[in-house]
Amino acid sequence: MTSAKKGPALESRRESMDRKMGSEGKSITKGSHKGSTIAVYTSGGDAQGMNAAVRAVVRMGLFLGCKVYMIKEGYQGMVDGGDNFVLGDWKSVSGILNLGGTIIGSARCMEFQERAGRLNAALNLIEHGINRLVCIGGDGSLTGADIFRQEWGGLVAELVKENRLSSEKAELYSFLNIVGMVGSIDNDFCGTDMTIGTDSALHRIIEAVDNIRPTATSHKRCFIMEVMGRHCGYLALIASMAAEADYVFIPEWPPEKGWEEQLCTRLSQERVSGNRLNIILISEGAIDREGKPITANQVKDVIVSRLKLDTRVTILGHVQRGGCPSAFDRILSSRMGAEAVLALLDSNPDTPPCVVTIDGNQIMRVPLMEAVQRTKSVKTAMDNKNFTEAVQLRGRSFQQNLEAYLLMSKVKPPTSEVSQKSNVKNYPLAVLNVGSPACGMNAVMRAFTCMAMTKGYNVYGINHGFEGLMQNSVQQMKWTDVQGWVSIGGANLGTSKLCPDQIGLDKVAAQFRKYRFSGILLVGGFEAFYSALVMAETRARFPEFCVPIMVIPAGISNNVPGSDFSVGSDTAINEIVDICDRLRQSAVGSKNRVFICQTMGGKCGYLATMGALAGGADAAYIFEETVGIKELMADVLHLAAKMKSGVRRGLVLRADEADEQFTADFIHRLFAHEGRLSFSARYSIIGEIQEVYVQ
């Protein structure tokens, strides 16, 4: 594939929108909206995380004092009414956080596309006292909701005219408010960085690639894997980066004319360099520069006819929609669901509909139809064969990911890129790990090495951190040295927790002087942050440290100041959630059981807190919040009441350094004794699997 051209500056897919910051972090009062009624429904294609969103809407609504209805089968249920309107309670959404799909169903509804169908839907809503809706679906479902809102006044008037609705009720329900959440694995909606289900779909794709690698290597095969994405190549592009795919076909950036020869040349180079397999990812909506479809079988025929390689096609299909949602999707959906309720209750008759999105790590409210129109403009750009504009409309991160993939997927450093940066050629840059190992460290090393080499720098990898630097365990990294590192957990260069001031700043400076480092990248947790700080603060004494010093946060504890996320923390949370799901499942055959799980994280409660949110835990004990015997006993009483209500399982998470007195063993024994009439208790310590499992 050719490099992505930088066309005229266009605003990203969210920057020009009239966005409003969400209400996260603000104080809310229990029961503050008593008497209000809202409803939630899912529509269009299902996506992992929809159940978590429904759960959040129901429970946030109940907390604020609202009646919350769940409408089964989407718009079809709204039109049909009757048993499709289910009044939600706390228990009705218990145990659904880890389930894929949507428990309230989703269906295509031709009747809703007709005015008569929307008339019935309006009547059914009013009969249940509903004029505030949360819609979870794609741009088509959200567009339908907005049309419904615009027609609401006319529909109500028509119902009155037909004597199907009283004038009093018509006046009471004279307006309809809509708040949307985007449920789509394609991540094709402008205005948000991520949509519900995308992260889980990426998990399915990467798992499939990892499973195919061994068999492909054994038989020296080439595999072409088709992933979803009819009009959006996000899944294929990001999966290609994460899986180090040899080639990718996406609709936003089709290959140039003659791509067949370019593809075969690339695969031949891979085989000459010693690789026994090739992985190619293709979006189901892939096209060429003329807009003609490119299929997986078409690519296979090219490879077989020209290279005679044993080539197989795997179409993942709906596997990408299936399975349990990832920890990220559970947390994202829960945050969006809670915000949707607050946005809905903040609205008045004149409030335009909004969609709840995420920008970085901040929940936002974006005008619904403005985001829908921007999303449709991407398809228009592709139809007009303006692919540069299509990429830019997808957003800055999409464009940067595309450029990064095109650079790092090459067999050797692109000579044209290096020659343009001849003024920095051969400048030595150092990279090392500091602190505990974390999943993703190797991916950082690969990306840094490849990017630096394209700019003309020499990269030196230091084994085992500053300790290895003292032992001269320094090696110049080559382009091929880091190929295949992305999918490997741990730290191939090794790591050490020793910081420069523990070794001796003068000794570290001497090694800097010896190797003449022009810059250094530290990859790690708080130890890496502290090491950079120490070197920066002593530059007056040691001029060797007067070079660019960068830190990439990488540690499962996520305790580095100034960053929302650290490399490895997401993988660790997924491991915690997976174990919690298994423990909860084991309790199904037991009578009323509570599990106490201890996570890592030290004095940072991120893992325990996010693990509890994603795992649906009843409590989380962390260092940042004081916990005493009264709080523990209150949780015992809560769990006992929960068991009496019919929910037969409970889960409590504890960070490993939450409190030196109230250990996991102490909490287990306390719960087992004080709750013995209501439940049994078990405890489990989740160890190093959180930091060394492959990402």
Side-chain angles (χ1 to χ4, degrees), residues 66-306:
C66 303
K67 288 174 65 176
V68 186
Y69 282 94
M70 297 180 289
I71 302 176
K72 292 184 175 180
E73 312 306 338
Y75 288 113
Q76 189 66 58
M78 198 181 297
V79 171
D80 294 341
D83 293 340
N84 290 305
F85 282 69
V86 179
L87 189 62
D89 58 29
W90 204 269
K91 182 182 174 182
S92 65
V93 291
S94 178
I96 69 171
L97 190 64
N98 63 317
L99 300 180
T102 165
I103 63 163
I104 57 176
S106 179
R108 308 290 180 186
C109 181
M110 299 303 295
E111 293 175 66
F112 192 79
Q113 297 181 26
E114 303 295 331
R115 185 175 177 82
R118 295 194 290 275
L119 203 65
N120 288 335
L123 180 61
N124 288 326
L125 289 172
I126 293 173
E127 286 180 343
H128 288 85
I130 302 166
N131 65 339
R132 290 184 171 95
L133 290 176
V134 176
C135 174
I136 307 172
D139 61 341
S141 300
L142 296 174
T143 300
D146 186 64
I147 292 172
F148 191 37
R149 181 196 65 84
Q150 293 178 38
E151 292 183 348
W152 182 264
L155 294 171
V156 171
E158 191 170 335
L159 289 170
V160 173
K161 185 177 180 180
E162 295 177 356
N163 294 319
R164 299 171 67 185
L165 185 69
S166 68
S167 299
E168 291 78 9
K169 276 198 171 184
E171 184 176 353
L172 193 60
Y173 300 101
S174 60
F175 66 93
L176 177 67
N177 286 126
I178 300 286
V179 172
M181 284 184 277
V182 188
S184 169
I185 68 169
D186 293 343
N187 200 31
D188 56 354
F189 194 82
C190 292
T192 186
D193 285 341
M194 290 288 278
T195 58
I196 294 171
T198 301
D199 187 72
S200 300
L202 283 170
H203 276 251
R204 301 294 97 79
I205 296 169
I206 300 306
E207 288 167 5
V209 173
D210 287 345
N211 289 335
I212 276 176
R213 281 187 185 279
T215 183
T217 303
S218 299
H219 299 280
K220 299 177 70 174
R221 284 179 176 148
C222 173
F223 270 87
I224 303 161
M225 304 182 68
E226 180 185 292
V227 302
M228 286 187 168
R230 196 184 321 156
H231 302 302
C232 181
Y234 183 88
L235 289 178
L237 175 60
I238 302 304
S240 294
M241 292 183 66
E244 293 187 58
D246 299 297
Y247 212 87
V248 64
F249 293 88
I250 60 174
E252 293 91 343
W253 195 252
E256 299 285 353
K257 186 177 181 180
W259 61 265
E260 297 89 345
E261 184 64 30
Q262 183 188 54
L263 171 64
C264 292
T265 299
R266 170 63 200 275
L267 298 182
S268 297
Q269 290 174 337
E270 289 283 352
R271 293 304 172 112
V272 170
S273 67
N275 287 342
R276 292 177 58 88
L277 79 156
N278 299 106
I279 300 292
I280 298 168
L281 291 182
I282 179 170
S283 290
E284 60 178 331
I287 55 177
D288 62 18
R289 290 276 160 172
E290 298 303 317
K292 298 177 182 177
I294 298 177
T295 67
N297 284 320
Q298 180 182 346
V299 176
K300 175 188 174 181
D301 291 342
V302 169
I303 296 170
V304 171
S305 63
R306 299 193 183 195

Side-chain angles (χ1 to χ4, degrees), residues 386-463:
N386 192 341
F387 300 110
T388 298
E389 182 180 351
V391 169
Q392 291 174 328
L393 285 170
R394 283 286 179 222
R396 188 176 294 113
S397 62
F398 186 95
Q399 184 174 359
Q400 291 172 342
N401 285 329
L402 176 59
E403 292 170 355
Y405 171 76
L406 293 174
L407 278 175
M408 292 191 294
S409 63
K410 298 183 183 300
V411 179
K412 57 184 179 180
T415 54
S416 60
E417 290 280 344
V418 174
S419 62
Q420 292 173 13
K421 301 290 182 180
S422 57
N423 59 317
V424 299
K425 192 173 182 180
N426 298 326
Y427 280 18
L429 302 179
V431 58
L432 69 158
N433 299 313
V434 186
S436 300
C439 292
M441 279 183 163
N442 290 324
V444 171
M445 293 295 173
R446 174 180 179 262
F448 178 77
T449 299
C450 292
M451 285 298 184
M453 291 183 70
T454 63
K455 306 300 181 184
Y457 295 98
N458 287 333
V459 180
Y460 290 84
I462 301 175
N463 296 291

